[in-house]
């Protein structure tokens, strides 16, 4: 008899009238808000503008959801296209089934589009969002608890999760692998935050550290799971994926540190306008003043007076900068000019 265990909810959905409220969807939504909130704080700390992370997330989140669902359907196609299966179930995302590998890959494509539109580098944005993504995964894994899925081998440990009988599952207590991965993701987020502060990670290295650290945990947690999965050489497909992605992340960390050391000095340059506003905003604010200036009559062109010797000022510093030509006494033969040097020898006139 089990003395202690983690009970599972009897249902994963609550109906508010005709509207179903699903625990799996709530966990994903909470994760997205946590990622955007933390990413926005880190982006501002790096010199970015408030709201940029959310603007790019508008592109990244839908792409990520589609990518995560595609990866799950492709790797577990027998659940939707096998004998006696209904292919329409592939679109029922609320029933669970999102592959993190596809979510990150296709979500990066959406983020790249958003970054291109904003004129900022994708690696800098990914570095700011990396720990937030790990926390989003930690929140999202609790959606598997609502659906009673992704558990491990049977166990009688006090933190085992109780699973009730249902389609493709037997009643009993099992390793709560969803809980293990949730706690691991929290640790990954703390690791990335610490390493980023300690080593000033930039140019995508904070994101690469998140990927590498997550793959380490996903490898041993995946090995504990007992749900149906494809195997290659006796090893689950996601374990192989973790190994490959881990190697790629470490290679990127090493090469990036050698080729582009340090961190970006400017992550979000001003597109137009010196006060940090976008060009469209600067143009919109300039329109009223431009119209007012256009309504003012143009001043007449100032004509430069032509000065003569008569107009020359009598005292120095008065009037326009005109200097009258002083008259010098003419020289008479044998009498030098007063301005000449004392040793000056006068020339004799010709013919004398």
């Amino acid at each position: 008899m089990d003395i202690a265990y983690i009970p599972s909810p009897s249902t994963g959905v609550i109906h508010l009238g005709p509207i179903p409220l699903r625990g799996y969807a709530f966990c994903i939504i909470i994760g997205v808000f946590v990622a955007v909130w933390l990413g926005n704080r880190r982006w501002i700390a790096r010199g970015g503008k408030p709201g940029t992370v959310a603007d790019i997330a508008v592109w990244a989140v839908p792409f990520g959801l589609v990518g995560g669902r595609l990866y799950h359907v492709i790797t577990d196609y027998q659940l939707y296209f096998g004998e006696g299966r209904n292919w329409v179930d592939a679109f029922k995302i609320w029933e669970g089934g999102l592959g993190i590998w596809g979510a990150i890959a296709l979500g990066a494509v959406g983020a790249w589009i958003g970054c291109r539109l904003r004129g900022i580098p994708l690696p800098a944005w990914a570095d700011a969002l990396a720990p937030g993504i790990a926390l989003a995964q930690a929140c999202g894994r609790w959606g598997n608890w609502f659906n009673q899925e992704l558990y491990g081998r049977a166990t009688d440990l006090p933190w085992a999760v109780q699973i009730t009988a249902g389609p493709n599952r037997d009643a009993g207590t099992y390793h709560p692998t969803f809980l293990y991965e949730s706690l691991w993701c929290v640790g990954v987020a703390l690791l990335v935050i610490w390493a980023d502060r300690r080593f000033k990670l930039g140019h995508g290295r904070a994101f690469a550290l998140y990927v590498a650290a997550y793959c380490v945990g996903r490898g041993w947690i995946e090995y504990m799971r007992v749900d149906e999965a494809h195997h290659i050489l006796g090893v689950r497909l996601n374990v192989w994926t973790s190994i490959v992605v881990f190697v790629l992340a470490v290679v990127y960390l090493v090469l990036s540190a050698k080729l582009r050391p340090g961190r970006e000095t400017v992550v979000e340059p001003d597109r137009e306008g010196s006060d940090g506003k976008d060009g469209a905003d600067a143009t919109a604010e300039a329109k009223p003043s431009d119209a007012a200036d256009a309504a003012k009559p143009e001043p007449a062109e100032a004509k430069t007076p032509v000065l003569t010797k008569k107009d020359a000022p009598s005292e120095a510093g008065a009037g326009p900068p005109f200097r009258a030509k002083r008259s010098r006494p003419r020289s008479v033969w044998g009498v030098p000019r007063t301005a000449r040097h004392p040793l000056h020898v006068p020339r004799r006139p010709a013919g004398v």
Side-chain angles (χ1 to χ4, degrees), residues 300-351:
E301 296 184 359
K303 296 183 178 180
T304 304
V306 179
L307 300 180
T308 62
K309 293 184 178 181
K310 295 181 179 180
D311 300 324
S314 58
E315 297 181 0
F322 178 87
R323 186 173 296 175
K325 194 172 183 180
R326 292 186 301 174
S327 61
R328 291 164 48 177
R330 295 178 176 271
S331 61
V332 182
W333 169 246
V335 181
R337 296 181 180 178
T338 57
R340 292 182 183 273
H341 194 271
L343 299 181
H344 171 74
V345 178
R347 292 184 306 172
R348 292 185 178 183

Side-chain angles (χ1 to χ4, degrees), residues 43 52 56 112 114-125 267-269:
W43 183 253
T52 298
I56 299 176
W112 176 80
C115 288
R116 290 278 294 179
L117 294 176
R118 297 281 300 193
I120 64 177
L122 175 61
W125 184 84
V267 296
E268 189 173 3

Side-chain angles (χ1 to χ4, degrees), residues 78-98:
Q78 71 280 358
L79 300 178
Y80 307 100
F81 303 101
E83 184 178 356
R85 302 287 184 171
N86 187 2
W87 62 271
V88 178
D89 294 340
F91 297 95
K92 297 179 180 180
I93 191 173
W94 55 87
E95 294 182 355
L98 288 175

Side-chain angles (χ1 to χ4, degrees), residues 18-226:
I19 303 175
L21 306 177
R22 305 183 184 276
Y24 187 84
F26 269 113
C27 291
I28 294 178
I29 293 173
I30 293 174
V32 170
F33 274 100
V34 170
V36 172
W37 170 77
L38 181 59
N40 185 66
R41 289 174 59 90
R42 287 172 51 82
W43 183 253
I44 295 174
R46 286 172 174 254
K49 301 177 184 178
T52 298
V53 171
D55 292 341
I56 299 176
V58 172
W59 288 89
V61 172
F63 274 75
L65 292 175
V66 173
R69 188 60 175 178
L70 284 176
Y71 181 88
H72 169 72
V73 172
I74 292 173
T75 55
D76 293 315
Y77 61 88
Q78 71 280 358
L79 300 178
Y80 307 100
F81 303 101
E83 184 178 356
R85 302 287 184 171
N86 187 2
W87 62 271
V88 178
D89 294 340
F91 297 95
K92 297 179 180 180
I93 191 173
W94 55 87
E95 294 182 355
L98 288 175
I100 185 61
W101 314 113
I104 294 297
L106 204 57
V109 176
W112 176 80
I113 296 174
C115 288
R116 290 278 294 179
L117 294 176
R118 297 281 300 193
I120 64 177
L122 175 61
W125 184 84
D127 284 341
L129 204 67
I133 296 177
L135 292 180
Q137 290 179 249
C139 297
R141 276 307 177 197
W142 284 91
N144 304 128
W145 176 63
F146 281 98
N147 290 348
Q148 297 193 39
E149 58 186 4
L150 302 188
Y151 46 86
R153 303 185 185 96
T155 183
D156 57 355
L157 292 172
W159 56 82
V161 61
Q162 183 189 39
I163 301 297
T164 60
N168 301 322
R169 67 172 186 254
D170 299 326
T173 54
Y174 301 86
H175 277 284
T177 53
F178 72 89
L179 175 61
Y180 299 160
E181 185 169 340
S182 178
L183 295 177
W184 183 269
C185 288
V186 173
V188 170
L190 296 178
L191 172 65
V192 173
I193 292 175
W194 171 82
D196 192 25
R197 291 178 178 177
R198 174 66 177 79
F199 302 104
K200 302 297 182 182
L201 301 177
H203 302 286
R205 287 189 289 277
F207 184 81
L209 177 62
Y210 145 72
V211 173
Y214 171 76
C215 289
V216 172
R218 180 61 184 268
W220 67 267
I221 294 172
E222 185 74 20
Y223 187 75
M224 298 179 63
R225 285 167 51 173
V226 295

Side-chain angles (χ1 to χ4, degrees), residues 219-308:
W220 67 267
I221 294 172
E222 185 74 20
Y223 187 75
M224 298 179 63
R225 285 167 51 173
V226 295
D227 54 300
E228 185 178 358
H230 293 285
H231 290 72
I232 300 176
L233 300 178
V235 180
R236 292 170 67 96
L237 174 61
N238 282 330
V239 175
W240 286 110
T241 306
S242 299
I243 295 174
V244 173
V245 176
F246 171 80
V247 172
L248 294 176
V250 172
V251 170
Y252 181 87
L253 270 172
V254 175
L255 294 180
S256 177
K258 291 183 178 180
L259 298 177
R260 308 186 70 182
R263 181 187 288 179
E264 301 91 343
T265 56
V266 179
V267 296
E268 189 173 3
D270 294 334
R271 292 188 294 179
E272 284 185 16
S274 58
D275 57 348
K277 299 179 181 179
D278 295 339
D281 298 338
T283 303
E285 293 182 0
K287 285 181 178 179
S289 60
D290 293 345
D293 294 342
K296 296 180 181 179
E298 295 184 359
E301 296 184 359
K303 296 183 178 180
T304 304
V306 179
L307 300 180
T308 62

